[in-house]
Amino acid sequence: MRFRAIETNGREGVAGSRDGKSWRVLYQGDAGFPGLPDDFIQRGPAGIDAAAGALDRGALVADIEQLSCLPPFRYAGKIICVGLNFAAHVKESGMKTPDYPTLFARFNTGLVAHNQPLV
C-alpha cells in the first residue's frame, strides 16, 4: 500500500492506496485512525498492515492531488536509502550497474511533502 501524510483544514491525517489510483483517508480523531506514517511504521510490518486495513475502511477521496500533503516523516533522525537498486533506474541514469549497493542518507530536515519544491 502507498501512504501519504496529509492535512485538510488544519486536521492531520493519512491517505492510503492499494492501486495508486483510488485513495482513502482517515484523520486524527476519526474512528480507526492508525496514526501518521511515523507512528505505524515504527510498529513494523504488523503496524503497516493494520494501517492499511484501517484505511481500507476510510473515506474515498475523489482527487488525491487536491489534498495538502505533509512530509512523510517528521521524527526520523536519518533515513538510509539505496540508489540504483533496479535495472530501469540504472539504465535511465546512464550509469553502470554497481557491484555493491549504493547507499546515501536523507535527513528529516531535508524531507519535503509530495509536489513541494526542494529548497
Side-chain angles (χ1 to χ4, degrees), residues 82-97 104:
V82 179
L84 300 174
N85 57 337
F86 55 98
H89 182 54
V90 172
K91 184 177 178 180
E92 75 183 8
S93 71
M95 299 181 77
K96 176 183 127 184
T97 301
F104 61 96

Side-chain angles (χ1 to χ4, degrees), residues 37-114:
D38 275 310
D39 303 318
F40 58 78
I41 288 175
Q42 286 183 4
R43 294 190 290 267
I48 294 168
D49 290 344
L55 284 163
D56 284 338
R57 296 180 293 281
L60 190 61
V61 174
D63 184 6
I64 189 68
E65 297 304 324
Q66 297 301 312
L67 295 177
S68 177
C69 291
L70 300 170
F73 306 107
R74 296 188 196 172
Y75 309 114
K78 60 185 165 289
I79 301 168
I80 306 299
C81 306
V82 179
L84 300 174
N85 57 337
F86 55 98
H89 182 54
V90 172
K91 184 177 178 180
E92 75 183 8
S93 71
M95 299 181 77
K96 176 183 127 184
T97 301
D99 293 329
Y100 299 97
T102 303
L103 301 177
F104 61 96
R106 291 294 305 265
F107 299 92
N108 195 41
T109 56
L111 299 178
V112 298
H114 177 69

Side-chain angles (χ1 to χ4, degrees), residues 7-46:
E7 180 181 35
T8 304
N9 298 324
R11 289 182 71 198
E12 293 183 350
V14 63
S17 176
R18 291 194 182 273
D19 61 8
K21 296 175 185 161
S22 60
W23 290 80
R24 295 187 174 272
V25 299
L26 287 170
Y27 291 93
Q28 288 180 344
D30 289 348
F33 177 68
L36 295 170
D38 275 310
D39 303 318
F40 58 78
I41 288 175
Q42 286 183 4
R43 294 190 290 267

